[in-house]
Amino acid sequence: KVIGIKRGWGGLIDIVRDPQYDNSGNFFELTEEIVNKAGRTGGTFLHTSRTRASHVPKANVPKHLQDKYLDDINDLTPEVLKNLEFMGIDYLIPIGGDDTLSYAVRLSKESVKVVAIPKTMDNDVPGTDYCIGFSTCITRTIALTHDLRTAGSHERILVLEVFGRYAGFTAMLPTLAGAANRCVIPEYEFDIERLTELLCEDRFTNPSKYSVVLVSEGATFSGGNMIFQSEETDMFGHKKLGGIGNMISQQLKELTPQFNHGQVINTITQRLGYLVRCGDPDALDSIVPMAYGNLALDLINKGLHGRLVILRNGRYDNAPIEIVTSSKKIVDVPKFYNTERLRPQYNSFEF
């Protein structure tokens, strides 16, 4: 029997351990009928949350536990362990990015039998070359960038902001595919004057007189900091990013006269955001999840746990789950990013 836990770790801390209590808002059985429909329509039908069960603010402690957990920040792991036992869970299969899976590492150390699956469009889970969602994100980014080439009608510079807090893969790969002229990524602080010079050059050499830059939301100006929408943080300590695209767009417009014979070049700014993480999955994101699910089941049937299913060097495999917290997976700038040209390296693909 397969049980779906709703809202990630949020559903797992909210369970009331009473057989008579209606916990359907926290978990339900994944029947063949439900799974078949989800397989056709896609979507996070179990829902999601930014819950970190080991660091729950007092205000977010479930109502039935508020008399027990009174600290400003509370570790509800003891409740999670009891809830898993109450539900009769033999194996736990968390599916998510490095934040979600970092808590899975904690549960594995607490003797929970965990088999993890990497899923994040940022593709930044250590230990695997591929995370579910990345290909669809890249495919949609390329398509939307092409759709927005109306910038050519107005002879402007097009600035597109995409997700990517610490890793710039979602800006790098569409640029590598030719969707954009330049990209700026979190791993390298860029010089805005140099970016302006390059985009003006790209626009001048383009018969339609426009150019395109993809901007990771975590990118920073030289000597600057990340741009946040507010100072409020989630349970993982992350402030909500957003706004770097607008700032770059404004400064590009102000600087363009230096590289365009004194004439201002107007800009168009668009934040792609959730447009690239919705809709139908592409072919790769239909195949890899099927493989990852079967790999996880194979490990369970062999009685193995404490593993992360992965795709590495073109082969499916698995690795110790601790690899998730062992390092950060980011763009290798010297190998893959041309800091002078502010775009991917094109000189060699023999890595």
Side-chain angles (χ1 to χ4, degrees):
K1 184 183 291 187
V2 180
I3 303 298
I5 299 171
K6 301 184 75 171
R7 305 184 312 283
W9 302 124
L12 204 47
I13 68 172
D14 199 39
I15 290 167
V16 175
R17 294 188 297 275
D18 179 350
Q20 303 305 315
Y21 185 84
D22 181 10
N23 274 301
S24 60
N26 295 316
F27 66 87
F28 59 95
E29 183 178 352
L30 297 183
T31 63
E32 187 170 349
E33 179 182 7
I34 291 172
V35 174
N36 279 343
K37 182 179 179 181
R40 292 192 302 272
T41 60
T44 310
F45 69 99
L46 288 176
H47 308 299
T48 185
S49 71
R50 294 293 296 161
T51 301
R52 186 182 183 186
S54 60
H55 295 70
V56 181
K58 186 177 180 179
N60 297 99
V61 173
K63 189 173 182 179
H64 67 282
L65 297 173
Q66 288 180 356
D67 292 340
K68 185 176 179 181
Y69 294 91
L70 305 174
D71 295 335
D72 290 338
I73 301 295
N74 300 272
D75 185 357
L76 268 58
T77 301
E79 303 301 325
V80 170
L81 297 174
K82 292 174 185 176
N83 290 343
L84 288 171
E85 184 178 1
F86 168 76
M87 297 167 66
I89 299 298
D90 298 304
Y91 284 85
L92 187 65
I93 309 175
I95 306 171
D98 58 344
D99 286 335
T100 297
L101 299 186
S102 65
Y103 185 68
V105 174
R106 164 74 184 275
L107 291 182
S108 181
K109 292 178 179 177
E110 297 281 355
S111 299
V112 177
K113 295 178 179 177
V114 177
V115 177
I117 296 177
K119 177 199 67 67
T120 168
M121 52 165 283
D122 290 335
N123 204 40
D124 59 354
V125 173
T128 182
D129 292 342
Y130 191 77
C131 302
I132 297 170
F134 182 57
S135 180
T136 301
C137 168
I138 300 305
T139 299
R140 292 178 73 84
T141 299
I142 292 171
L144 287 168
T145 304
H146 289 324
D147 289 343
L148 287 165
R149 290 183 183 275
T150 181
S153 302
H154 305 283
E155 301 178 84
R156 299 182 181 182
I157 295 173
L158 177 61
V159 181
L160 300 177
E161 182 180 324
V162 296
F163 284 125
R165 177 179 294 270
Y166 299 117
F169 301 110
T170 53
M172 280 268 294
L173 269 292
T175 306
L176 183 66
N181 303 100
R182 312 288 161 179
C183 62
V184 289
I185 59 176
E187 294 87 344
Y188 181 77
E189 294 184 358
F190 69 96
D191 181 88
I192 186 63
E193 289 196 10
R194 178 58 176 158
L195 177 62
T196 307
E197 179 183 12
L198 290 168
L199 288 170
C200 287
E201 175 186 302
D202 295 330
R203 176 180 175 276
F204 179 76
T205 57
N206 185 336
S208 294
K209 291 294 181 287
Y210 74 97
S211 54
V212 183
V213 58
L214 280 173
V215 179
S216 296
E217 62 178 353
T220 58
F221 293 100
S222 180
N225 298 307
M226 286 184 179
I227 307 302
F228 303 107
Q229 292 185 27
S230 72
E231 292 301 305
E232 183 181 355
T233 62
D234 64 17
M235 291 190 202
F236 293 92
H238 300 318
K239 299 176 185 177
K240 190 171 182 62
L241 288 166
I244 182 65
N246 287 329
M247 292 185 68
I248 288 175
S249 184
Q250 182 60 38
Q251 292 197 34
L252 284 173
K253 183 177 178 179
E254 293 173 0
L255 291 169
T256 50
Q258 297 182 31
F259 307 99
N260 190 47
H261 309 294
Q263 298 297 310
V264 170
I265 301 173
N266 288 318
T267 58
I268 296 175
T269 312
Q270 184 70 53
R271 190 177 181 197
L272 297 186
Y274 287 91
L275 290 171
V276 301
R277 62 187 307 168
C278 62
D280 294 334
D282 67 6
L284 191 58
D285 275 327
S286 298
I287 296 168
V288 174
M290 183 67 73
Y292 277 179
N294 277 279
L295 287 166
L297 185 60
D298 288 344
L299 289 169
I300 290 170
N301 285 333
K302 294 175 183 176
L304 299 174
H305 54 89
R307 310 298 293 179
L308 173 74
V309 298
I310 63 173
L311 180 58
R312 186 163 54 193
N313 296 327
R315 296 177 62 88
Y316 289 109
D317 201 349
N318 63 87
I321 193 172
E322 291 80 10
I323 199 168
V324 171
T325 54
S326 66
S327 63
K328 291 289 185 183
K329 181 183 174 185
I330 58 177
V331 173
D332 184 336
V333 170
K335 183 181 287 188
F336 296 119
Y337 187 69
N338 187 326
T339 57
E340 172 61 24
R341 305 295 291 167
L342 299 180
R343 64 184 185 186
Q345 293 278 17
Y346 292 98
N347 58 322
S348 176
F349 287 84
E350 298 177 356
F351 292 116

